[in-house]
Amino acid sequence: MSQITQQLRQAVRRLWRRRFFTLITLITFSVGVGANIAVFSVVEGVLLKPLPYPHPESLVGVWHTAPGLNLDVVNMAPANYFIYRSKTGL
């Protein structure tokens, strides 16, 4: 046990002598931990958390094609949704 405390004291003494290096190391470590937390919270919120719908497996996506313009997939506009809704009577 005394060898561990002796090594710990020596490490603290070296860090105390080189304060600029210690400061840069602590800042780098803090930024790394903060970035890791931010990335994990985004991944957890987007990929791991279930969708807030009663039956998320039954959700569908609607896209259009425009073969005259050589476009395979064209995104759906909100105005198209309202047009389809009025045509189907929902």
Side-chain angles (χ1 to χ4, degrees), residues 36-56:
N36 192 10
I37 289 171
V39 167
F40 179 75
S41 64
V42 168
V43 166
E44 193 267 336
V46 173
L47 297 177
L48 302 178
K49 198 176 198 181
L51 293 175
Y53 301 108
H55 301 287

Side-chain angles (χ1 to χ4, degrees), residues 15-53:
L15 289 174
W16 185 253
R17 285 186 199 154
R18 298 178 181 231
R19 292 180 188 158
F20 184 72
F21 173 77
T22 304
L23 180 68
I24 296 298
T25 303
L26 288 176
I27 289 173
T28 303
F29 183 72
S30 301
V31 168
V33 168
N36 192 10
I37 289 171
V39 167
F40 179 75
S41 64
V42 168
V43 166
E44 193 267 336
V46 173
L47 297 177
L48 302 178
K49 198 176 198 181
L51 293 175
Y53 301 108

Side-chain angles (χ1 to χ4, degrees), residues 65-72 74:
T65 60
L69 300 173
N70 293 328
L71 296 174
D72 293 333
V74 180

